Amino acid sequence: MTTLTHRGRRAEAGRNSDKKPDSEEDAAVDRDLNDDDPDDSKDIRLTLMEEVLLLGLKDKEGYTSFWNECISSGLRGGILIELALRGRIRLEPRCIRKRRLLDRKVLLKSDAPTGDVLLDETLRHIKATESAETVQTWIDLLTGETWNPFKLQYQLRNVRERIAKALVEKGILTTEKQNFLLFDMTTHPVSNATEKQRLVKKLQESMLERWVNDPHRMDRRTLALLVLAHSSDVLENVFASLADDKYNVAMNRTKDLLDMDPEVEAAKAGGAEMIWAVLAAFNKS
């Protein structure tokens, strides 16, 4: 489980379906897909996974911290949230036997291609399963953390490299080769610093100037990114550039947000259940 760090203890410094929505949750999802953030209207559209990796990369070196053991599973959680926000998957409805988020299965809602290779590969895996699996299980399967040899086929391989290549194609990263004495490694330094700064500023402002003190009034993609940045242990990178007073305010508000009970918040979060389910999965791990 990842934890919020404090300044004194810092670690290493698609296409939409034509189907009409059949519930309030579906309507909320459709609004999320169709209503762009006005601040993002002229910017490059990134997936949640691309944003998380961008936050985790060292700008000049072009790689994530060697000590970060959380980002791989965090990226898989981002895939599930991205698919949910695009109306492709959802959690099964609550019932008497399955009220808890981590007991409810992930259901395929639409297998329409998204245009993103990782998302579409995950959709095929979800569609191919004989029995539905939970959010926690899917994160483990996609990461390859399973003792069942018959389910290793669901592992997504080379995820970081594939996401980095997508960011290269979008002009945000570049590709280089670096020698680390015993081996050569492909790295991806940031070439479009403006895009990363915009992303960091957006998250900083969501916790400062635009703070609404209610996750259900927040932009869903912003809420999802904060959850994923925490789960991937890259949240420190978001607030590192702030002055001490603002840093403390932002970190404390984020801690309060992430300390909320996912079960309670999901019950009143139409269209955002997957975000809270992913948070619950990482809180448990």
Side-chain angles (χ1 to χ4, degrees):
M1 180 180 73
T2 60
T3 56
L4 292 174
T5 56
H6 294 279
R7 179 149 287 186
R9 297 186 290 108
R10 266 186 211 178
E12 172 189 322
R15 292 196 301 268
N16 296 339
S17 170
D18 293 332
K19 181 181 177 181
K20 293 183 179 180
D22 53 11
S23 68
E24 292 184 6
E25 179 179 340
D26 293 342
V29 169
D30 287 346
R31 286 196 299 274
D32 278 349
L33 292 174
N34 295 323
D35 296 341
D36 290 339
D37 186 329
D39 290 342
D40 295 343
S41 58
K42 295 181 180 180
D43 293 301
I44 303 167
R45 292 294 289 190
L46 303 180
T47 65
L48 290 170
M49 307 86 73
E50 291 167 348
E51 290 178 330
V52 169
L53 183 64
L54 186 57
L55 291 173
L57 284 174
K58 300 173 183 291
D59 290 8
K60 294 181 179 180
E61 294 87 345
Y63 52 82
T64 58
S65 168
F66 293 127
W67 309 108
N68 189 333
E69 300 177 351
C70 304
I71 194 167
S72 291
S73 54
L75 291 172
R76 272 69 171 187
I79 290 173
L80 295 179
I81 295 177
E82 185 75 48
L83 285 172
L85 291 179
R86 295 191 185 205
R88 300 306 197 276
I89 61 175
R90 67 186 305 171
L91 291 181
E92 66 180 338
R94 296 173 62 190
C95 65
I96 295 177
R97 291 183 299 104
K98 294 183 178 180
R99 291 183 179 276
R100 293 178 63 251
L101 287 170
L102 297 184
D103 291 335
R104 294 159 63 188
K105 309 292 187 179
V106 175
L107 303 181
L108 183 68
K109 188 175 174 184
S110 168
D111 63 355
T114 66
D116 181 274
V117 176
L118 284 172
L119 294 179
D120 290 342
E121 184 176 340
T122 303
L123 271 181
R124 289 193 296 272
H125 287 331
I126 294 175
K127 184 178 180 180
T129 52
E130 294 182 2
S131 59
E133 303 286 1
T134 64
V135 168
Q136 178 77 70
T137 300
W138 269 118
I139 291 175
D140 292 342
L141 290 176
L142 296 174
T143 310
E145 295 181 359
T146 175
W147 294 103
N148 187 338
F150 297 104
K151 293 194 173 184
L152 286 174
Q153 60 183 312
Y154 298 126
Q155 180 182 5
L156 295 179
R157 302 183 183 278
N158 304 316
V159 167
R160 267 184 267 193
E161 183 63 24
R162 291 158 74 182
I163 294 173
K165 287 183 178 179
L167 288 169
V168 170
E169 292 175 358
K170 293 180 179 181
I172 297 173
L173 303 180
T174 188
T175 302
E176 295 180 357
K177 285 280 188 182
Q178 288 197 33
N179 180 269
F180 289 86
L181 297 180
L182 298 178
F183 61 95
D184 290 333
M185 185 173 79
T186 300
T187 60
H188 298 283
V190 175
S191 58
N192 183 348
T194 300
E195 181 62 21
K196 183 169 183 177
Q197 291 167 1
R198 181 200 67 80
L199 179 61
V200 169
K201 181 181 178 182
K202 174 183 175 180
L203 292 179
Q204 289 178 349
E205 289 182 347
S206 71
M207 291 291 104
L208 296 171
E209 292 86 351
R210 297 185 181 182
W211 176 241
V212 293
N213 198 30
D214 180 359
H216 307 291
R217 293 170 55 201
M218 293 179 67
D219 168 68
R220 284 196 177 94
R221 296 189 70 86
T222 300
L223 173 62
L225 188 52
L226 287 167
V227 167
L228 293 169
H230 164 62
S231 303
S232 303
D233 203 15
V234 300
L235 191 58
E236 172 75 7
N237 299 351
V238 174
F239 301 127
S241 62
L242 292 172
D244 285 352
D245 56 341
K246 290 186 176 182
Y247 173 90
N248 290 331
V249 170
M251 289 299 283
N252 287 333
R253 286 175 175 173
T254 305
K255 183 179 185 301
D256 290 342
L257 179 68
L258 298 172
D259 281 347
M260 291 180 174
D261 187 341
E263 301 288 347
V264 173
E265 301 309 318
K268 48 186 178 181
E273 282 188 322
M274 190 66 70
I275 298 173
W276 295 105
V278 167
L279 177 60
F282 282 108
N283 284 347
K284 182 181 177 181
S285 60

